[in-house]
Amino acid sequence: MENYKVNIRSIQNITPDVLRIVTNKPDGFDFTSGKATEIAINKTGWESQKRPFTMTSLPNDDKLEFVIKTYPSHEGVTNELLELKQNDELLLGDVFGTIDYKGEGVFIAGGAGVTPFISILRQLEANREIGHNKLIFANKTKADIILEQEFNSLLGDSFINILSDEQQEGYAFGRITEEFLKENIHNIKQHFYLCGPPPMITAIETMLMDLGIDENLIIKEQY
């Protein structure tokens, strides 16, 4: 496995438990929107503790950006990331991932599962090709919504939020159901991009196929 060493240029919270980390981009580190890499912290005892995270920057940017959900109650890599600061080092591995943009459609994400879609939607906006793409984003509370303002700007009314643990005016409440999908999907011949916890993705894929959507139109990744 290739190892790339990068320096943290900036690190900040964008929700109570989600970090935005920006690093330099090493020579030869090429990727397409939607792809991920394995990251380790370049500190004694952590160099072999690799975890997969998605690049949220654009492929042609001169920097790398990662949007990472942390779990402060776990004594693991994401908790250790909370201790990092500018100029600390990360180790990156090879690029991988199953999400590729194949054309207009509906993106369905749960929590941090939205991260592969960030670079894709930003690239579409840069190319003026947002078109009729739609994002359905499931979270527990409004405070958990990653990059809400940016998605509103990119997608307008095609950005649909559903909250499972909090009722807020202007936001759907509950979990994604077949009825909810039916209300928000008006074309079953487009692509469907799914990313989130495995139980959620399995359930939504079944619902989509029950609605008559060809499984070949479903592109998915679980985390």
Side-chain angles (χ1 to χ4, degrees), residues 24 60 112 154 174 200:
N24 64 295
N60 291 331
L154 288 173
M200 173 189 172

Tab-separated table of all heavy atoms in Angstrom, residues 24 60 112 154 174 200:
chain	number	residue	atom	x	y	z
A	24	ASN	N	-2.297	19.496	2.958
A	24	ASN	CA	-1.691	19.635	1.633
A	24	ASN	C	-2.029	18.406	0.796
A	24	ASN	O	-2.462	17.371	1.328
A	24	ASN	CB	-0.177	19.794	1.756
A	24	ASN	CG	0.485	18.563	2.351
A	24	ASN	OD1	0.249	18.233	3.513
A	24	ASN	ND2	1.317	17.886	1.564
A	60	ASN	N	-9.192	18.407	-8.546
A	60	ASN	CA	-8.181	19.332	-9.071
A	60	ASN	C	-7.720	20.376	-8.058
A	60	ASN	O	-6.869	21.213	-8.376
A	60	ASN	CB	-8.725	20.042	-10.327
A	60	ASN	CG	-8.862	19.086	-11.495
A	60	ASN	OD1	-8.121	18.107	-11.598
A	60	ASN	ND2	-9.808	19.353	-12.375
A	112	ALA	N	-22.975	10.656	8.399
A	112	ALA	CA	-21.678	10.818	7.730
A	112	ALA	C	-21.635	10.138	6.376
A	112	ALA	O	-20.675	10.327	5.619
A	112	ALA	CB	-20.565	10.275	8.627
A	154	LEU	N	-26.493	24.729	-3.076
A	154	LEU	CA	-26.276	23.906	-4.265
A	154	LEU	C	-27.584	23.405	-4.874
A	154	LEU	O	-27.738	23.371	-6.093
A	154	LEU	CB	-25.398	22.700	-3.908
A	154	LEU	CG	-23.923	22.943	-3.619
A	154	LEU	CD1	-23.275	21.660	-3.113
A	154	LEU	CD2	-23.204	23.422	-4.884
A	174	GLY	N	-39.067	11.598	11.338
A	174	GLY	CA	-39.178	10.146	11.343
A	174	GLY	C	-38.004	9.507	10.622
A	174	GLY	O	-36.912	10.077	10.544
A	200	MET	N	-29.481	0.664	7.245
A	200	MET	CA	-30.242	1.688	6.529
A	200	MET	C	-30.166	1.469	5.021
A	200	MET	O	-31.185	1.506	4.317
A	200	MET	CB	-29.706	3.080	6.881
A	200	MET	CG	-30.311	4.205	6.061
A	200	MET	SD	-29.455	5.778	6.339
A	200	MET	CE	-30.245	6.807	5.077
